Amino acid sequence: MPTVYLIRHGEVANPNHVCYATMPGFNLSPLGVLQAHATGRHLADHPLDLVLTSPLARAVQTATAIGRHHDVPVQVDDRLIETGQLPHWTGMRWDDIARVHADELAQYLEDATRVEGSVETIDEIAERGTRAIGETVANGHDHVAVVGHQDATQAARLALSGRPLSELRLDPPPHAAVITLVSSGARWVEQSVW
């Protein structure tokens, strides 16, 4: 049965607490490197054909660590990139976002599918992620690790398992978490979270 391991990248070095989104230069912290290798060790006993990853450095670093534990290829897919929902937050400190964009932040935390002024909707984010995963599985990769970002990973998780996207902020994946989804034919079933 096709199995997908949805993985959020490891912790990022971000001493200024910036909303880094798609900004370059945000790599794994020392803890994030350890988390990435722990994820690779966790998956070492699981079959794996391919590691699919966002093009951003923190995701590629996590994917590379996982790939090394399996000696499988790492493939970049731009559709797994960080969300583009609120690009005007990019580069701002989170405490400044809470002050300057308080209403938007409150909307996002309450229900990210209803944030006014979103450049990219959660539906679009989920669709691009599920399309990348679906095409990869359709191309014969039955066991795929997919490394991405918190909201994009959560959106794909919800869409694949048939849950409402309004649950985006409910139990989002922590750094380097592994969400195992198994195909039951018509739908993906969440089997475990590590």
Side-chain angles (χ1 to χ4, degrees):
M1 269 195 276
T3 303
V4 170
Y5 306 103
L6 296 178
I7 301 161
R8 181 183 175 196
H9 61 76
E11 180 190 80
V12 175
N14 184 13
N16 294 320
H17 306 289
V18 170
C19 175
Y20 42 78
T22 57
M23 291 173 63
F26 285 87
N27 299 304
L28 295 181
S29 68
L31 174 59
V33 172
L34 293 174
Q35 290 171 331
H37 285 285
T39 300
R41 285 190 301 277
H42 168 71
L43 290 172
D45 294 334
H46 297 72
L48 194 60
D49 306 329
L50 176 72
V51 182
L52 197 64
T53 183
S54 156
L56 297 176
R58 57 195 180 269
V60 172
Q61 291 166 337
T62 302
T64 301
I66 294 165
R68 283 187 188 137
H69 285 274
H70 276 274
D71 195 28
V72 297
V74 173
Q75 180 179 315
V76 171
D77 192 313
D78 290 342
R79 294 173 291 187
L80 300 175
I81 199 161
E82 181 68 271
T83 66
Q85 188 176 22
L86 297 160
H88 54 281
W89 290 7
T90 302
M92 293 182 72
R93 292 172 48 100
W94 279 103
D95 55 355
D96 291 335
I97 291 170
R99 184 176 43 78
V100 176
H101 299 293
D103 291 342
E104 273 182 352
L105 181 58
Q107 280 182 323
Y108 166 77
L109 293 173
E110 183 179 325
D111 183 353
T113 64
R114 299 176 144 200
V115 178
E116 293 177 26
S118 292
V119 173
E120 181 181 38
T121 68
I122 299 300
D123 287 309
E124 291 167 335
I125 295 162
E127 193 276 330
R128 65 176 160 83
T130 57
R131 194 165 12 104
I133 293 165
E135 288 174 13
T136 301
V137 171
N139 286 332
H141 297 287
D142 286 336
H143 299 89
V144 182
V146 181
V147 181
H149 309 276
Q150 179 179 289
D151 285 356
T153 298
Q154 180 74 335
R157 172 193 194 182
L158 296 171
L160 289 171
S161 60
R163 291 169 51 195
L165 294 176
S166 59
E167 294 183 5
L168 188 80
R169 301 297 306 149
L170 179 67
D171 191 30
H175 288 113
V178 179
I179 300 163
T180 303
L181 299 174
V182 178
S183 175
S184 65
R187 176 176 287 178
W188 292 84
V189 175
E190 189 169 312
Q191 196 172 61
S192 64
V193 178
W194 176 84

